[in-house]
Amino acid sequence: MTTQPTASHFVDGAYIEDTTGEKIDVIYPATGKKIATLYAATPAIVEKALASAKRAQKEWAGWTATERGRVLRKAADIMRERNHELSVLETYDTGKPYQETSVADATSGADALEYFGGLAASITGEHIQMGEDFVYTRREPLGVCVGIGAWNYPTQIACWKAAPALACGNAMVFKPSEMTPLCALKVAEILVEAGAPAGVFNVIQGYGAVGASLISDPRVDKVSLTGSVPTGRKVYAAAAEGMRHVTMELGGKSPLVIFDDADLEKAVSGAILGNFYSTGQVCSNGTRVFVQKGIKDAFLKRLTERLAGIRIGDPQDPEVNFGPMVSERQRDIVEGYIAKGIDEGATLVTGGKRVEGDGYFIEATVFADVTDNMTIAREEIFGPVMAVLDFDDEAEVLARANDTEFGLAAGVFTADLTRAHRMAAGFEAGTCYINTYNLAPVEAPFGGSKMSGVGRENSKAAIEHYSQIKGVYVAMGEVEAPF
C-alpha cells in the first residue's frame, strides 16, 4: 500500500499542496520508520478551505434533506466496500492492530454516515397553535463547522463529526491530529465520490497554530474537538470569544466497579476492553478498576491468565492483537507513570516494561493495591496501565468513583440489576455501562460531564449540536398596539 497521500490537504473537492508549510513526518508506530511526509496548512490553504466551505454550505443547505441523506448513505456503502484498504491505512496511521481496525474504525465511521444519512430527512420543525395565530419552527444548519480530531481513532472521529454536521446542512473544515493525518483524507475523497459538493468537507493538516487560526476565524459557526482537557480549555476559551457553538469530548479517568457477585469472566473481559483495547489509548477507558475485596484475588489471577493471550508483533498480521503506542513520546509518558506507580507503593502484578526491538511497544501493565491518592489513580495515562483498587461496600465505592475532576464514562459489573441501576444513576459520568464496557454504537449518545466535555456525539442528540431552531410567529388577525 502507498501511504504517501496525493497531497497534504483536501480542499474544495481536490488535493492541494503547499510545501512552504511546516513539515509533518508520519511515523509508523510499529517500526519507528517514516511512511509519509505532509505539510501543515499555510494561511493561504486555511483561507481556501474556509472560503470553499462557506460557499459550498449555501449550496448544500439548499438540497433537500433526503438528497443529503442519500449522499451520506452512499459514502457509507463505499466505505464498507473499501474496509480492508481503509483498515490497513488506519493501522499504518495509528499502529493499532489490523485485527482491531478491520472491525472498529472504518466500520464505525460507515455506521455514522449511514445513521445520520437515514436521519437527515426527519430533521424538521414543529407547528404550535396559538388560538387563531400559530408559530412554526425551522431547524436550520449552523453554517461552517470546524472539527479537530484526536490521534487514536482518526477515521471514526472524522465521520462522527462530519456525519451529523453534513446531515443538518453544514459544511466542515476538519483538522486531524498531526500524528495521524492520513485517514481523514480518505473520508473526504469518499464523500466527494458519493456526490457531496466540492467544499462541503475539507481536510487540512497542521499543528496547534492551524487549529487556532480556524477556531478564531469569524466565518466559523461551530467547533467540535476531541482531545485532552488542557487543549479543550484553550479551544473553549477561543471559541467563546466569537460566541461559537462548541462540543467537546475530552479526557477521562473513568471508574469500573466490579462487585463480588459479578460473573468473573465477563468482568475480566470488561476490564481488558476498558484498559488494553487500542493499547489503552481510548479516552473512555475504565482505568480505575474497583474490585470488591471478596473477589479481588480471583480477579487478579484470572486477569493475569488472560493477559498471557496477548500477541505482540506486526500490527498488519491479523493474528496480532496488541499494538504499539502511537509515538515514542507517548511511550515515554506511559513509562513515567509506571515508574510513579512503583515509587508510590503500588504492587506491579504484571507488565511494566517496554518490548525490545523496533517500534513503540510496551507491555500491558497491571497495578494492584492502588490507593485513591496515587498519581496513577488520579491522572489520565492514555496507555495500557490498569490500576486495581479494592473496596468494601456500594456507598463507599460510589463516592470514591466520583472523586475525580473527570466524568466521561463509568461502568459496573454485578448480578444485582437493582444495584447496577443505582450505580448508573449515581455515577457522575456522561456514558455508563452495566455488565459491559467501552461499546459506542452510533445510535447511543456519547460524551462526558465535568471536565470531560460539553455536548454529545452520535444519536439524535448530536442533531441539537449541529443545528439551531428558528421560531416564526404567524398572526392571522388584527395587530394591536398601545398607541
Side-chain angles (χ1 to χ4, degrees), residues 10 15 19 21 29 42 47 50 98 111 156 165 173 210 350 376 403 481:
F10 194 95
Y15 279 101
T19 57
T42 60
E47 172 59 31
L50 288 170
Y98 176 84
D111 286 348
Q156 181 192 84
V173 178
V210 172
T350 186
I376 58 171
D403 184 20

Side-chain angles (χ1 to χ4, degrees), residues 12-25:
D12 206 11
Y15 279 101
I16 60 172
E17 189 64 277
D18 186 342
T19 57
T20 63
E22 191 173 357
K23 185 185 289 187
I24 301 172
D25 287 331

Side-chain angles (χ1 to χ4, degrees), residues 361-374:
F361 293 90
I362 191 167
E363 295 175 334
T365 301
V366 177
F367 281 104
D369 306 314
V370 178
T371 59
D372 296 330
N373 62 340
M374 289 182 182

Side-chain angles (χ1 to χ4, degrees), residues 181 239 259 271 273 306 309 315 329 357 426 451 481:
F259 286 93
L273 289 174
R306 291 277 298 274
R329 178 176 180 273
M451 293 302 293

